[in-house]
């Protein structure tokens, strides 16, 4: 939680998207975001880029939860169902593999009904330094 709080203070992206922290633990993160009208695409549904941003943020908080600075090396997402304007999405990130300087994390994104709407997989790589000041 201390790592998340340290990152959150400077994370303009999550603040601008009004993403909320629900839970953080070693290798885990759960974040939520409500799809606003300005996040809709030309079809009137949540733009996939915003769903990706929520999943990517959960990934970032999960992989940085052990006080080692980590950055994304690769990420992909499968959209399974649309996000609706006005609904709150929850992204749950979990560590799949962590060894040496590399990690793999899976993130499931759910709508308010508990239906999975996206699956994200992120690969991260450690960089110099720690999240918390020495």
């Amino acid at each position: 939680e201390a790592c998340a709080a340290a990152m959150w203070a400077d994370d303009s992206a999550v603040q601008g998207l009004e993403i909320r922290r629900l839970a953080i633990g070693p290798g885990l993160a759960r974040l939520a975001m409500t799809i606003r009208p300005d996040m809709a695409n030309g079809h009137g549904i949540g733009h996939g880029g915003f769903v990706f941003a929520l999943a990517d943020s959960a990934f970032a908080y999960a992989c940085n939860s052990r006080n080692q600075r980590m950055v994304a090396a690769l990420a992909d997402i499968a959209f399974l169902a649309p996000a609706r304007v006005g609904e709150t999405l929850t992204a749950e990130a979990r560590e799949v593999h962590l060894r040496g300087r590399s990690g793999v994390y899976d993130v499931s994104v759910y709508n308010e009904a508990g239906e999975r709407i996206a699956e994200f997989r992120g690969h991260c790589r450690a960089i110099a330094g720690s999240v918390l000041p020495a």
Side-chain angles (χ1 to χ4, degrees):
E1 185 61 38
C3 291
M7 286 177 53
W8 203 270
D10 294 323
D11 195 336
S12 299
V14 296
Q15 293 171 23
L17 294 172
E18 300 175 356
I19 293 174
R20 300 172 302 285
R21 281 191 333 252
L22 302 178
I24 305 289
L28 303 168
R30 189 171 54 227
L31 305 180
M33 178 182 76
T34 301
I35 299 295
R36 303 182 312 232
D38 65 328
M39 296 175 172
N41 64 19
H43 299 295
I45 58 176
H47 190 289
F50 292 107
V51 177
F52 186 97
L54 173 63
D56 186 48
S57 297
F59 162 55
Y61 281 87
C63 71
N64 281 278
S65 64
R66 299 182 188 280
N67 199 30
Q68 170 64 52
R69 289 179 61 202
M70 304 289 267
V71 294
L74 173 73
D76 63 20
I77 194 165
F79 298 107
L80 308 174
R84 305 286 180 199
V85 172
E87 82 184 341
T88 298
L89 305 180
T90 302
E92 296 182 357
R94 61 206 165 282
E95 191 174 81
V96 174
H97 175 79
L98 180 63
R99 184 171 180 184
R101 296 182 56 214
S102 299
V104 177
Y105 293 76
D106 284 344
V107 183
S108 297
V109 181
Y110 299 93
N111 63 17
E112 290 177 357
E115 301 164 327
R116 186 174 293 153
I117 66 156
E119 278 296 320
F120 171 106
R121 173 160 275 192
H123 299 252
C124 60
R125 187 84 171 148
I127 59 173
S130 59
V131 175
L132 298 172

